[in-house]
Amino acid sequence: MLVLALGSLSGCDDKRGCPVPPVPTYPDAITPDDLMIILADVYENLDAGEYTGLLHEDFRSLILLGTRQVWEDGGNPLVDNVFYRDTEIRIHENLFSGNTGIYPDGNDVPPVESIEIGYMTRGEAWIQVAEDDHLFGGLGGYWAPYHFLIYFNLADETSLKVQQTVDAFVCPVVENGKEIWKLLGLEPKVPSTPGIKAGGGYLEVSLDFLKTLYR
């Protein structure tokens, strides 16, 4: 009887089963601002498939020197200073699917259970990327600084807090006869302290460092 009562309270029974959570849907990214709003929703929904669809085929995400130094000091130096599209996809599949990460010292990072966006706010107007930019030039892209506040809540009830300015690079493409915007790249700005530091009940990390934990 107790099992039946609990099932009824949760909206489940033996005949109907449990209700299936609705599948999130997203609008087309008609403008760069649309793209960044969708990006925030994708993070909160832990939607790896949709994240993949937001990435331009030439996507790259930069890794700060301080982050590379932390890994080198831990005896596990990073090979690259950039995450390309395939690596970015794998990182987010791990982040969004409850997979365990690894700290630079070799200890496990608990899986991410939920993500909360405090804010993801554009700081200045979009500016066209210079044609001779060695990373993002020649593609008709634009960039703008974004202020990020993101909480990654882990399975051990701790949270990793990202509070950082990140330059977002975006680019228009044509899909199914319609122009939409894709994420071309992310360039995090230097935080006050690389790696992890405690503060305000959270472990504070930079966005690029957090990605290295789940790569």
Side-chain angles (χ1 to χ4, degrees), residues 40-155:
D41 289 342
V42 164
Y43 261 70
E44 289 201 321
N45 291 330
L46 305 177
D47 195 333
E50 187 66 24
Y51 185 78
T52 296
L54 297 181
L55 302 182
H56 191 276
E57 61 182 13
D58 292 320
F59 176 90
R60 58 202 66 189
S61 183
L62 276 66
I63 307 170
L64 293 170
L65 177 61
T67 292
R68 300 201 303 273
Q69 187 64 53
V70 171
W71 281 92
E72 186 170 332
D73 292 345
N76 295 293
L78 301 176
V79 175
D80 298 316
N81 61 359
V82 172
F83 287 141
Y84 293 98
R85 189 175 190 271
D86 287 349
T87 305
E88 185 79 4
I89 290 170
R90 184 176 71 248
I91 288 168
H92 283 77
E93 287 173 345
N94 290 332
L95 273 173
F96 296 163
S97 300
N99 293 334
T100 300
I102 300 176
Y103 284 117
D105 62 6
N107 289 322
D108 286 347
V109 186
V112 174
E113 287 199 334
S114 66
I115 297 175
E116 301 172 51
I117 303 293
Y119 51 76
M120 194 178 283
T121 307
R122 178 162 52 83
E124 299 176 18
W126 291 99
I127 302 170
Q128 189 159 17
V129 177
E131 284 294 309
D132 60 355
D133 187 286
H134 73 289
L135 286 174
F136 303 110
L139 295 170
Y142 287 75
W143 73 275
Y146 265 76
H147 305 302
F148 284 9
L149 175 59
I150 310 174
Y151 299 96
F152 295 81
N153 303 314
L154 308 184

Side-chain angles (χ1 to χ4, degrees), residues 136-213:
F136 303 110
L139 295 170
Y142 287 75
W143 73 275
Y146 265 76
H147 305 302
F148 284 9
L149 175 59
I150 310 174
Y151 299 96
F152 295 81
N153 303 314
L154 308 184
D156 66 352
E157 299 186 353
T158 62
S159 291
L160 300 179
K161 172 186 174 183
V162 172
Q163 188 169 17
Q164 187 175 21
T165 298
V166 177
D167 289 346
F169 293 80
V170 300
C171 184
V173 301
V174 176
E175 286 189 354
N176 301 318
K178 180 188 296 186
E179 183 179 271
I180 60 173
W181 290 80
K182 296 279 190 177
L183 191 59
L184 184 58
L186 296 169
E187 183 175 359
K189 302 289 96 176
V190 178
S192 57
T193 304
I196 294 180
K197 67 174 183 177
Y202 301 96
L203 298 176
E204 298 183 13
V205 299
S206 64
L207 181 62
D208 60 306
F209 182 80
L210 181 133
K211 288 180 182 180
T212 65
L213 302 178

